[in-house]
Amino acid sequence: MLSQVVVDVMEEVSTGSGSDYSNSWISWFLSSKGNEYFCEVEEDYILDRFNLTGLNTEVQHYAQALDMITDNLDEEIQDDLRGNLDLQARLLYGLIHARWIVTARGLAKMLEKYKRADFGRCPRVLCQSQPLLPVGLTDVPYEKSVKLYCGRCEDIYSPKSSRHGSIDGAYFGTSFPHLLFLVYPNLIPPKSGPVEFGLPQRAGDVEGGRRSRRIREEETQTEGVGETGSTAAVALKADRYRPRIFGFQVNEIAKLQRWQEAVRDRQITRLEELEGNAPA
């Protein structure tokens, strides 16, 4: 994932003109292809050093990267250093972004993108094109790429676009979608019924959703084949996503998941009994 990000950065830097930076680095970054998931972090938030506590240990050339983001970088900086600085500026902006979107103003900005379904829609038919939200599987950069969370089926999916799929999940954090639903409980989607907001789904989105669902079903069917061939064994391998806010599992969802797992365990026991009694 890191190598792909480096390639994309170097291509954009090499093809970009000086005027790209003349307006605003943040505007240039947000307008770049593949960065549609990001929202604009307000400058006063970035300039408040309290909000950036600890980031200087995670970003190389921290001071210069911050100057680049806030358009205060010395224009005489060497070109060979600018490419590396741009990579570090992206990292710094991404980590600031993860903190910004869990503030009241940041949540409001991401809410507008969610209502427009800017992050895509759930490929599952029974979710009826429920808009998705970006989520990270870890808060540590360079470990996991971003995933998309569906509040209706409570599952996660990979972005359809390879550009979006290469975005670091740490730039959105593990808490964002669940905190959004906590702050705006009226947005928690029902488990059935139509989606109450969002733009009408385009035909291309429908076909893309069906394609994603077919791929997911094929992967599920082939997983475990050639090993034990046991339905119960495949079911035991299944690992589910657990929503968390600042490391703590969401209470209501945790209660529901405990009940669902108890039902699954009973079903697995029945499968094992049926497979044990089946004639050889």
Side-chain angles (χ1 to χ4, degrees), residues 5 8-9 12-13 19-41 46 68-71 85-98 163 167-168 171-172:
V5 172
D8 291 343
V9 170
E12 291 174 7
V13 171
S19 61
D20 291 334
Y21 291 94
S22 61
N23 295 326
S24 166
W25 184 92
I26 294 178
S27 298
W28 167 80
F29 174 79
L30 295 176
S31 63
S32 300
K33 290 182 179 179
N35 292 338
E36 292 82 6
Y37 286 0
F38 293 89
C39 72
E40 182 179 0
V41 180
I46 298 176
M68 176 174 279
I69 290 175
T70 55
D71 305 308
L85 264 186
D86 196 273
L87 182 63
Q88 296 303 314
R90 285 170 176 255
L91 170 61
L92 179 58
Y93 185 83
L95 296 177
I96 295 173
H97 183 268
R163 283 184 178 270
I167 298 175
D168 200 314
Y171 297 166
F172 298 88

Side-chain angles (χ1 to χ4, degrees), residues 45-46 48-56 62 66 96 99:
Y45 182 87
I46 298 176
D48 186 342
R49 297 304 174 93
F50 177 78
N51 297 324
L52 313 186
T53 302
L55 295 183
N56 60 320
Y62 169 80
L66 183 59
I96 295 173
R99 297 183 178 189

Side-chain angles (χ1 to χ4, degrees), residues 55 125 151 199 214-215 240 259 277 279:
L55 295 183
V125 173
L199 298 175
R214 286 198 300 269
I215 294 172
R240 67 182 308 173
W259 175 80
N277 296 330

